[in-house]
Amino acid sequence: MPRPSARVPLPVLVAPAAVSTALALWPIRRPFVAATAGWVWSLPAQELPLHVGALVGAATASALAGRGGRAARPSDRVGAGIATLTWAGLGLVLSRHLAAAAALDRALAEGLGDGLGDGPGEGLGEGETTTSPSALHRTPWPRVLFRPWPLRPRGVRARRGMVYGPDPKTNRFDLYTRTGSSRAGGGNASGGSSDISGSGAGDVRGVLVHIHGGHFRAGGPSRESRAMLFDHAARGWAAISTTYHLSPTPESGFPQHLVDVKRLLRWIRTEGPTHGIRADAPIVVAGSSAGAHLAMMTALTGGDPRFQPGFEDADTTVAGAIGLYGYYGRLGLETRDVSDPVRHAASGAPPVAIIHGTHDTYTPVKGSRRLVRHLRAGSPNPVVHAELPGAQHGFDAVRSPRYLAVVEAVSRFTDRLA
């Protein structure tokens, strides 16, 4: 008589996806340790709901097919029920992804005013194009399903590990440009260190600088917001992903983090022309999480000599700033008067876009609302504030429908600044 099968029960197979989905819909908010653990566990369902749903379907079909026509066991029925509830939950997660475009549209229309958020293309020079009106909000499902990790497009050149300061390990960045934006013919599409100097300095429309997150103690270039960087490079921008001095605590590294970003801005102004970036190109700083804090601090302290030691006279003003799921509070008690963005006057702030998820448990959305109130009370420039329904921390890693809507909205924001 054959021995009973030692197959893993179906409820055990689908339980991880079910828990991830439940945490995506109903995140743990406190204590912080539990909230962080829940956020990490929720990421698969939160950012890749279609892929998780496919895995649940495959596991369920395989388990039931393995019964070989025999009557379903009670555990199979329980597992099938859990799988059905998980699919329903993933459907709700996906619907929240698709709702992001409308939330971003409203934020652009309200923040930019006069219908400037209604569609792409305004303010572009002759021959310049961006997303066509017919393609607006049209989700590229093949990319979402089969190429979720953003890979550098063929038409974008990469230069990695470039140095902008005295520390070659820390003061480094990756530079992405459109291959057609340089007249030099020696570009290395594999991302090597080929030189593009000698290119026309008027070819680049503007510079987008992205600053990574990681609680000021971890992270590196080109790990976050890759789709946004590649999109801007493909549209004629110089897209930079930079790092900065990391520190054991956020406060112990302040203000060196900020000094590093300003040192990069000086490099763009002085060395950029040898790499096809004109000296007066508009610069937009963007950041994720801790990087968003640095982006806003950079925007609010342009030309402040306290944060430009040795290059006090350098022009470190920016044309705009973008914050994605940022932390915008003080970095510690001792530096609270200078490390908190709302302690700096908003009167000199450039146009700003702040995008945050309503379900963010690592850096709650209330911090973004606080900064938006401060900016709108004192800034003469537009403040775009979008809250993405159901989005968690770290929504810019993969090409989800939600993040692609963010990329498209950011492009509409930066096009006006170019």
Side-chain angles (χ1 to χ4, degrees), residues 388-408:
L388 308 181
Q392 250 284 14
H393 201 72
F395 56 72
D396 59 343
V398 298
R399 284 193 292 204
S400 66
R402 174 166 48 218
Y403 181 48
L404 290 178
V406 170
V407 170
E408 185 271 322

CSV table of all heavy atoms in Angstrom, one decimal, residues 388-408:
chain,number,residue,atom,x,y,z
A,388,LEU,N,-1.1,59.3,-1.8
A,388,LEU,CA,-1.5,58.1,-2.6
A,388,LEU,C,-2.3,57.1,-1.7
A,388,LEU,O,-1.8,56.6,-0.7
A,388,LEU,CB,-0.2,57.5,-3.1
A,388,LEU,CG,0.8,58.4,-3.9
A,388,LEU,CD1,2.0,57.6,-4.3
A,388,LEU,CD2,0.1,59.1,-5.0
A,389,PRO,N,-3.5,56.8,-2.2
A,389,PRO,CA,-4.4,55.9,-1.4
A,389,PRO,C,-3.7,54.6,-1.1
A,389,PRO,O,-3.3,53.9,-2.1
A,389,PRO,CB,-5.6,55.8,-2.2
A,389,PRO,CG,-5.6,57.0,-3.1
A,389,PRO,CD,-4.2,57.3,-3.4
A,390,GLY,N,-3.6,54.2,0.1
A,390,GLY,CA,-3.1,52.9,0.5
A,390,GLY,C,-1.6,52.6,0.3
A,390,GLY,O,-1.1,51.5,0.6
A,391,ALA,N,-0.8,53.6,-0.2
A,391,ALA,CA,0.6,53.4,-0.4
A,391,ALA,C,1.4,53.4,0.9
A,391,ALA,O,1.1,54.1,1.8
A,391,ALA,CB,1.1,54.5,-1.3
A,392,GLN,N,2.4,52.5,0.9
A,392,GLN,CA,3.3,52.4,2.0
A,392,GLN,C,4.6,53.1,1.7
A,392,GLN,O,4.8,53.7,0.7
A,392,GLN,CB,3.5,50.9,2.3
A,392,GLN,CG,2.9,50.4,3.6
A,392,GLN,CD,3.6,50.8,4.9
A,392,GLN,OE1,4.5,51.7,4.9
A,392,GLN,NE2,3.3,50.1,6.0
A,393,HIS,N,5.5,52.9,2.6
A,393,HIS,CA,6.9,53.4,2.5
A,393,HIS,C,7.6,52.6,1.4
A,393,HIS,O,7.4,51.5,1.2
A,393,HIS,CB,7.6,53.2,3.8
A,393,HIS,CG,8.8,54.1,4.0
A,393,HIS,ND1,8.7,55.5,4.2
A,393,HIS,CD2,10.2,53.9,4.0
A,393,HIS,CE1,9.9,56.0,4.3
A,393,HIS,NE2,10.8,55.1,4.2
A,394,GLY,N,8.4,53.3,0.6
A,394,GLY,CA,9.3,52.7,-0.4
A,394,GLY,C,8.5,52.3,-1.7
A,394,GLY,O,8.8,51.2,-2.2
A,395,PHE,N,7.6,53.1,-2.1
A,395,PHE,CA,6.8,52.7,-3.3
A,395,PHE,C,7.5,53.0,-4.6
A,395,PHE,O,6.9,52.8,-5.7
A,395,PHE,CB,5.4,53.5,-3.3
A,395,PHE,CG,5.5,55.0,-3.2
A,395,PHE,CD1,5.9,55.7,-4.3
A,395,PHE,CD2,5.2,55.7,-2.0
A,395,PHE,CE1,6.0,57.1,-4.3
A,395,PHE,CE2,5.3,57.0,-2.0
A,395,PHE,CZ,5.7,57.8,-3.1
A,396,ASP,N,8.8,53.4,-4.6
A,396,ASP,CA,9.4,53.7,-5.9
A,396,ASP,C,10.5,52.7,-6.3
A,396,ASP,O,11.4,53.0,-7.0
A,396,ASP,CB,10.1,55.1,-5.8
A,396,ASP,CG,11.2,55.1,-4.6
A,396,ASP,OD1,11.1,54.3,-3.7
A,396,ASP,OD2,12.0,56.1,-4.7
A,397,ALA,N,10.3,51.4,-5.8
A,397,ALA,CA,11.3,50.4,-6.1
A,397,ALA,C,11.0,49.7,-7.5
A,397,ALA,O,11.9,49.4,-8.3
A,397,ALA,CB,11.4,49.4,-5.0
A,398,VAL,N,9.8,49.4,-7.7
A,398,VAL,CA,9.4,48.6,-8.9
A,398,VAL,C,8.4,49.4,-9.7
A,398,VAL,O,7.8,50.3,-9.3
A,398,VAL,CB,8.8,47.2,-8.5
A,398,VAL,CG1,9.8,46.4,-7.7
A,398,VAL,CG2,7.5,47.4,-7.7
A,399,ARG,N,8.2,48.9,-11.0
A,399,ARG,CA,7.3,49.6,-11.9
A,399,ARG,C,5.9,49.1,-11.7
A,399,ARG,O,5.3,48.3,-12.5
A,399,ARG,CB,7.7,49.4,-13.3
A,399,ARG,CG,8.9,50.2,-13.7
A,399,ARG,CD,9.2,50.3,-15.2
A,399,ARG,NE,9.6,49.0,-15.7
A,399,ARG,CZ,10.3,48.9,-16.8
A,399,ARG,NH1,10.6,50.0,-17.5
A,399,ARG,NH2,10.7,47.7,-17.3
A,400,SER,N,5.3,49.5,-10.6
A,400,SER,CA,3.9,49.2,-10.3
A,400,SER,C,3.0,50.2,-11.0
A,400,SER,O,3.5,51.3,-11.4
A,400,SER,CB,3.7,49.2,-8.8
A,400,SER,OG,3.8,50.6,-8.3
A,401,PRO,N,1.8,50.0,-11.2
A,401,PRO,CA,0.9,51.0,-11.7
A,401,PRO,C,0.9,52.3,-10.9
A,401,PRO,O,0.9,53.4,-11.5
A,401,PRO,CB,-0.5,50.3,-11.7
A,401,PRO,CG,-0.2,48.9,-11.7
A,401,PRO,CD,1.0,48.7,-11.0
A,402,ARG,N,1.0,52.2,-9.6
A,402,ARG,CA,1.1,53.4,-8.8
A,402,ARG,C,2.3,54.2,-9.0
A,402,ARG,O,2.3,55.4,-9.2
A,402,ARG,CB,1.0,53.0,-7.3
A,402,ARG,CG,1.2,54.2,-6.4
A,402,ARG,CD,0.7,53.9,-5.0
A,402,ARG,NE,1.2,52.6,-4.5
A,402,ARG,CZ,0.6,51.7,-3.7
A,402,ARG,NH1,-0.7,52.0,-3.4
A,402,ARG,NH2,1.1,50.6,-3.3
A,403,TYR,N,3.5,53.5,-9.0
A,403,TYR,CA,4.7,54.2,-9.2
A,403,TYR,C,4.9,54.8,-10.6
A,403,TYR,O,5.4,55.9,-10.8
A,403,TYR,CB,5.9,53.4,-8.8
A,403,TYR,CG,7.2,54.1,-9.0
A,403,TYR,CD1,7.4,55.4,-8.4
A,403,TYR,CD2,8.3,53.6,-9.7
A,403,TYR,CE1,8.5,56.1,-8.5
A,403,TYR,CE2,9.5,54.3,-9.8
A,403,TYR,CZ,9.6,55.6,-9.2
A,403,TYR,OH,10.8,56.3,-9.4
A,404,LEU,N,4.4,54.1,-11.6
A,404,LEU,CA,4.4,54.7,-12.9
A,404,LEU,C,3.6,55.9,-13.0
A,404,LEU,O,3.9,56.9,-13.8
A,404,LEU,CB,4.0,53.6,-14.0
A,404,LEU,CG,4.9,52.5,-14.2
A,404,LEU,CD1,4.4,51.4,-15.1
A,404,LEU,CD2,6.3,52.9,-14.6
A,405,ALA,N,2.5,56.0,-12.3
A,405,ALA,CA,1.7,57.2,-12.3
A,405,ALA,C,2.5,58.3,-11.6
A,405,ALA,O,2.4,59.5,-12.0
A,405,ALA,CB,0.3,57.0,-11.5
A,406,VAL,N,3.2,58.0,-10.6
A,406,VAL,CA,4.1,59.0,-9.9
A,406,VAL,C,5.1,59.5,-10.9
A,406,VAL,O,5.4,60.7,-11.0
A,406,VAL,CB,4.7,58.4,-8.6
A,406,VAL,CG1,5.8,59.3,-8.1
A,406,VAL,CG2,3.7,58.1,-7.6
A,407,VAL,N,5.8,58.6,-11.6
A,407,VAL,CA,6.8,59.0,-12.6
A,407,VAL,C,6.2,60.0,-13.6
A,407,VAL,O,6.8,61.0,-13.9
A,407,VAL,CB,7.4,57.8,-13.3
A,407,VAL,CG1,8.3,58.2,-14.5
A,407,VAL,CG2,8.2,56.9,-12.3
A,408,GLU,N,5.0,59.7,-14.1
A,408,GLU,CA,4.4,60.5,-15.1
A,408,GLU,C,4.0,61.9,-14.5
A,408,GLU,O,4.2,62.9,-15.1
A,408,GLU,CB,3.1,59.8,-15.6
A,408,GLU,CG,2.4,60.5,-16.8
A,408,GLU,CD,1.4,61.5,-16.3
A,408,GLU,OE1,0.7,61.2,-15.3
A,408,GLU,OE2,1.3,62.6,-16.8
